[in-house]
């Protein structure tokens, strides 16, 4: 210490580095004796894990001569000083206990003794102090070539052997002598002489001895009495180290500055611990013994230590005993002896012990039982750690041990982790917790195993936690439970206000598991404040959901079909959660549980005192769960024809989890804690997006994680309270325009979703949170609309016979295997595709869009620069603001060329038509009947059946589909009411095997009843009806019964005919009449004659057509046949005569042609302006003044008119020359408004 510190610093640094590299430093020293110079003798100086290489690093010849500086120092020291021998360690690895040769045992040893007078090297040979092994190595190479130097007492004041100058002068031999070279490089060895007066200290620590003026470690008094230095605990330790040639440790316990033996991770061996044990003979107080991670300790040293602890020093004073991870390589007998000593110690001797840690000690079954019995009987033990002690299901007495531990009345903390437990042990543990009132912390980390059914053995234990009365902290890490175990845990702890911390790390919870734990964290009835979930984001929840047949609990949409096996904890947890929904929504159980079936007698359980429902543990249960009753109560303020947005807002307000003021901090803190852990953050966001509702301030608080703003907006925007205005404010947090555009792309289906007009086709990616939200909203609307339909007693016209708005449901490309989508529980991933057809109809006060506004919409769509698909989505997004007439819907479909786009706009706007009874006006627009059947497949054959005008329609019904059987049944009943013999023509039934049945004898009368109809096969029929047979009353009844629409009086119905459904001869005849008569009834009067009877037969028709009207279009050999085709069309009943009312069908065709012409004129005005000359210039591309039919069709398509162009050409071609001239084109001016 008198040397320059700058010169010592490199040596000290090198020594520390060598020690940290794995070497365990051993040395031997001996304390001072009265009148005898003390000497520190080096035995085994190093114990290096790095073997010979580190030893040779310092190995060089030892110079026995002292350096001049060191010699000068020795002469300059006037007071006695502690002398260390010239110390250079023998570089070798020694086996501690048995003395077997180590990796360095063959290195030669060196005589390290100082040759100064009075030292031990004067009087004793090396063999007497180094032992037999050291003596055999005399004369070996040295490990340091630096000359030995003296060591001052100034650096050893912490040891407490500081003599005053007077004492040192009186005893010149005490604590004197020089030292070797290694002593000067001992960084932790303090000086034993203090130049200052020692401070007084408290009782039980180092005290000042009044007589000798020395600091005495472990003294029990404060001055005034004599103590023999040789009996001091530290001195005994030093003498023991000297006798075994071990370098003393400088732990505070050894130096006397602590009553706690804290040797955790010190790498102690048996010899080191035995030396420390010598101190216990004269110690007065020991408060703690911590030998954690000293894996080389064995029975040889631990048994003496434990026996010494039975002395008065530990009785009433010892509080902590830890042998954690000791005895790792000890045979079973040795472990049993050590555990037996522990049992004896805590049974009678150490009554003040509060903490016992024996984790990692491999005990046997007998030791388990004895130890647990001792723990149970101990009066003060509060913390016990028995992790990884082989107390698993293979131990025959583990259940008795569990019972004993859980009957300990003072335990507050118990760790049983890393012991393999099966279901029975976990159940015993869970049942025992019910009677514990003091246990606060329980650890069962890595205890579970997989059962035969593939679930975690800990699930039953998680379920029994509902009966816990005292736990606050629970360690469930690495127990192999997935989202099923998480739901069991949620159901068990949702009414537990005590458990505040859960460690769930290492369990494959995935998104579904995080949903359960986050719900538990957010609800007020739970006391949970924080949970650890390291490595919990992994796992395949989709696979687990498929194993459970899709039965996954959703807080927002809990309804569905459940088939439960009550032997499984997960299914019991599902049932408890559903009962909780009934309680939360204020429903009676019989209102929520419908179609209940049980394999055993089942009655709805009551609620226990702990808040959990005592559900049965065996049997099977099947039922449909619905929350419509609660929604009906909630929606009383919402009118039947109220907005769907209000319905969904009220539903989410009722069902979504909203963290209260007390729970906001834990939820946001959990999010903050996951910052920087991308996978965990993404999983938390995914879970939050399913069940939670957030306010804008909460969202902004979460956006402090800048790197996750895009993900936050994408996942949480559907859950943001306040609707579109708050969504807009939330999107202002987007840091860049690029992020904003990426968000818009990912959220397109949610942002373009029109909840007020949900009818349409949907293909949703359920892994996309926004698509999932759309699917969830549609399913909720489906249940709400079905409830309204039931209330209004609307006939069921759904596709599968179970009332639903959804049709053609496909999941993952395959038909959905459920009766209705209401029974389908939304999975986390996969593609869901279906058609949604709302029951909502326009109110009676609704008015169609005015002509100016509608023309502006058509013009905008025609001139739009975006794709037709984007145009259709834009129209759909604003469609709830206006209604259309049947004529306007027809015009809207006419501006799109592609049949698929045209079908989409038709489906999207079909239910916005205020005059649905005039549906044939827009149906006539579809020349391809197959195209319109595809649209009916999307909208519903029964719901969109042509109730008011089924004439001239070719029907094709698939009897395997309920609503098509229903539509056919309606048609048959209508035919029966009108004229079934004449109205149904060309009926053909094709069996599933392809066999064709010609129904010559007629359609079976049993088909008049729906339940008697065939359940498979295809039926085709053509329906026609004369005006005389038309039954308006029956048609009106059917339409109001199946659609809920209001049908006006008959005189307000536009009876219509389609050109595409008529024979071409009829079309030519109508075109002829149209060119000559503005009123078709005048032609009937001319043919019938002024004195006619009001009926025209075939002869009169032929004569009047050829002679009176000079009709020559059918001239030729087949003239009579073609005339007969027209007459047959006019006489659908086959009576042989045509009445004036039947003749009016030609007026319907007149109206169709005039409407086609008018639509074309409106198109030209929108496109080219009010001057039709501009339109003619665009149509007459050749400029020759005439346009033939082919040129006309091509020009219309090029200009963007996709309506029926051929009837318009025929109408303009007055002279039947096959071309339209400029003069003929001028006729269109008559149709300009």
């Amino acid at each position: 210490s008198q040397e320059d510190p700058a010169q010592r610093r490199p040596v000290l640094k090198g020594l520390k580095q060598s020690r940290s590299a794995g070497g365990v430093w051993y040395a031997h020293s001996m304390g001072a004796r009265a009148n005898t110079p003390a000497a520190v003798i080096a035995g085994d100086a190093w114990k290096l894990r790095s073997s010979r290489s580190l030893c040779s690093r310092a190995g060089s010849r030892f110079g026995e001569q002292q350096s001049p500086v060191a010699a000068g120092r020795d002469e300059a020291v006037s007071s006695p000083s502690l002398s260390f021998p010239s110390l250079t360690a023998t570089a070798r690895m020694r086996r501690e206990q048995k003395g077997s040769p180590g990796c360095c045992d063959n290195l030669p040893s060196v005589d390290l003794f100082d040759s100064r007078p009075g030292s031990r090297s004067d009087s004793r040979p090396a063999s007497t102090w180094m032992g037999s092994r050291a003596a055999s190595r005399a004369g070996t190479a040295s490990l340091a070539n630096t000359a030995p130097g003296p060591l001052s007492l100034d650096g050893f004041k912490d040891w407490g052997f500081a003599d005053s100058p007077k004492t040192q002068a009186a005893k010149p031999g005490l604590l004197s002598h020089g030292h070797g070279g290694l002593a000067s490089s001992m960084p932790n060895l303090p000086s034993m002489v203090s130049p200052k007066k020692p401070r007084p200290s408290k009782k039980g620590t180092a005290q000042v001895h009044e007589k000798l003026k020395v600091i005495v470690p472990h003294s029990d008094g404060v001055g005034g009495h004599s103590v023999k230095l040789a009996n001091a605990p530290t001195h005994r330790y030093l003498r023991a180290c000297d006798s075994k040639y071990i370098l003393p440790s400088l732990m505070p316990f050894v130096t006397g500055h602590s009553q706690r033996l804290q040797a955790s991770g010190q790498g102690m061996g048996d010899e080191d611990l035995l030396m420390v044990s010598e101190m216990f003979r004269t110690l007065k107080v020991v408060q703690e013994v911590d030998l954690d991670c000293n894996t080389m300790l064995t029975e040889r040293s631990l048994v003496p230590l434990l026996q010494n602890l039975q002395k008065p020093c530990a009785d009433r004073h010892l509080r902590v005993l830890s042998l954690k991870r000791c005895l790792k390589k000890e045979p079973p007998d040795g472990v049993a002896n050590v555990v037996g000593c522990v049992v004896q110690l805590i049974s009678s001797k150490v009554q003040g012990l509060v903490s016992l840690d024996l984790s990692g000690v491999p005990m046997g079954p007998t030791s388990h039982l004895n130890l647990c019995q001792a723990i149970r009987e101990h009066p003060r033990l509060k913390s016990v750690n028995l992790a990884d002690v082989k107390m698993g299901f293979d131990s025959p007495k583990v259940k008795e041990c569990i019972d004993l531990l859980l009957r300990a009345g003072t335990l507050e903390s118990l760790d049983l982790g890393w012991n393999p437990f099966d279901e029975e042990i976990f159940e015993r543990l869970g049942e025992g917790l019910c009677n514990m009132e003091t246990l606060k912390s329980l650890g069962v980390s890595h205890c579970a195993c997989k059962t035969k059914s593939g679930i975690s053995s800990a699930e039953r234990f998680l379920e029994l936690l509902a009966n816990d009365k005292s736990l606050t902290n629970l360690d469930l890490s690495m127990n192999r439970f997935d989202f099923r175990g998480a739901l069991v845990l949620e159901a068990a702890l949702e009414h537990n206000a005590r458990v505040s911390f859960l460690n769930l790390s290492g369990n494959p919870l995935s998104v579904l598991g995080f949903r359960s734990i986050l719900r538990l964290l957010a609800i007020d009835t739970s006391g949970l404040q924080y949970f650890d979930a390291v490595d919990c984001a992994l796992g395949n929840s989709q696979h687990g959901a498929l194993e459970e047949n899709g039965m996954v609990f959703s807080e927002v949409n809990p309804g569905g079909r459940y088939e439960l096996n009550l032997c499984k904890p997960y299914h019991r947890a599902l049932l408890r959660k559903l009962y909780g929904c009934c309680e939360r929504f204020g429903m009676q159980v019989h209102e929520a549980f419908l179609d209940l079936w049980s394999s055993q007698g089942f009655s709805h359980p009551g609620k226990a005192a702990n808040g959990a429902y005592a559900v049965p543990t065996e049997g099977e249960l099947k039922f449909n769960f619905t929350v419509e009753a609660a929604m009906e109560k909630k929606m009383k303020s919402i009118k039947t024809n109220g907005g769907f947005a209000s319905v969904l807002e009220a539903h989410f307000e009722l069902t979504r989890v909203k963290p209260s003021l007390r729970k906001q901090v834990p939820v946001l803190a959990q999010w903050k804690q996951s910052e920087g852990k991308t996978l965990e953050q993404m999983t938390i966001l995914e879970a939050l997006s399913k069940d939670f509702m957030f306010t804008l301030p909460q969202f902004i608080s979460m956006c402090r994680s800048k790197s996750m703003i895009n993900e936050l907006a994408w996942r949480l925007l559907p859950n943001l309270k306040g609707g579109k205005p708050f969504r807009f404010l939330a999107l202002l947090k987007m840091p860049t325009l690029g992020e904003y555009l990426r968000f818009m792309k990912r959220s397109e289906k949610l942002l373009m979703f029109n909840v007020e007009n949900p009818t349409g086709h949907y293909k949703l990616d359920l892994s996309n949170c926004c698509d999932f939200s759309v699917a969830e909203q549609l399913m909720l609307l489906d249940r709400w609309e079905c409830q309204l339909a039931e209330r209004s007693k609307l006939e069921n016209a759904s596709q599968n016979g179970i009332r639903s708005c959804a049709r053609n449901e496909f999941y993952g490309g395959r038909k959905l295997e459920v009766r209705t989508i209401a029974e389908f529980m939304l999975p986390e991933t996969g593609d869901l595709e279906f058609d949604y057809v709302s029951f909502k109809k326009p109110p009676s006060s609704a008015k169609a869009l005015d002509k100016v506004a509608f023309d502006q919409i058509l013009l905008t769509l025609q001139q739009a620069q975006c794709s037709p698909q984007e145009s259709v989505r834009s129209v759909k997004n604003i469609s709830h603001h206006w209604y259309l007439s049947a004529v306007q819907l027809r015009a809207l479909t006419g501006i799109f060329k592609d049949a698929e786009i045209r079908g989409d706009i038709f489906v999207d706007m079909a239910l916005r038509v205020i005059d649905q009874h005039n549906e044939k006006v827009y149906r006539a627009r579809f020349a391809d009947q197959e195209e319109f059947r595809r649209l009916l497949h999307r909208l519903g054959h029964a719901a969109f059946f042509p109730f008011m005008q089924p004439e001239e329609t070719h029907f094709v019904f698939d009897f395997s589909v309920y609503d098509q059987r229903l539509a056919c049944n309606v048609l048959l009943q209508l035919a029966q009411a009108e004229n079934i013999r004449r109205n149904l023509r060309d009926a053909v039934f094709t069996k599933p095997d392809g066999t064709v049945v010609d129904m010559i004898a007629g359609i079976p009368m049993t088909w008049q009843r729906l339940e008697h109809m065939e359940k498979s096969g295809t039926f085709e029929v053509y329906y026609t009806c004369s005006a005389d047979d038309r039954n308006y009353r029956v048609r009106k009844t059917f339409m109001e019964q199946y659609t809920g629409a209001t049908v006006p009086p008959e005189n307000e119905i536009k009876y219509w005919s389609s050109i595409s459904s008529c024979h071409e001869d009829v079309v030519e005849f109508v075109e002829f009449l149209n060119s000559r008569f503005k009123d078709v009834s005048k032609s009937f009067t001319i043919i019938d004659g002024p004195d006619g009877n009001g009926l025209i037969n075939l002869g009169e028709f032929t004569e009047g057509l050829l002679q009176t009207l000079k009709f020559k279009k059918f001239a030729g050999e087949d003239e009579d046949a073609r005339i007969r085709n027209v007459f047959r069309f006019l006489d659908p009943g086959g009576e042989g005569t045509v009445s004036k009312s039947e003749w009016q069908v030609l007026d319907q065709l007149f109206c169709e042609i005039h409407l086609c012409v008018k639509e074309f004129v409106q198109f030209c005005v929108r496109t080219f302006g009010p001057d039709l000359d501009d339109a003619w210039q665009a149509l007459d591309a050749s400029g020759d003044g005439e346009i033939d039919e082919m040129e006309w069709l091509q020009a219309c398509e090029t200009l963007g008119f996709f309506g029926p162009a051929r009837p318009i050409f025929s109408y303009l071609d007055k002279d039947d020359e096959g071309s339209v001239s400029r003069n003929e084109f001028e006729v269109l001016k008559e149709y300009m408004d």
Side-chain angles (χ1 to χ4, degrees), residues 1053-1069:
I1053 296 177
K1054 293 180 181 179
Y1055 287 104
W1056 210 264
S1057 292
S1058 173
I1059 295 177
S1060 61
S1061 62
C1062 297
H1063 196 279
E1064 58 182 6
D1065 294 336
V1066 176
V1067 175
E1068 288 192 34
F1069 176 66

Side-chain angles (χ1 to χ4, degrees), residues 281-292:
R281 298 185 180 182
T282 55
L283 278 175
K284 300 298 182 182
V285 177
V286 178
Q287 294 184 353
E288 178 180 352
V289 175
D290 182 5
L291 300 176
D292 182 12

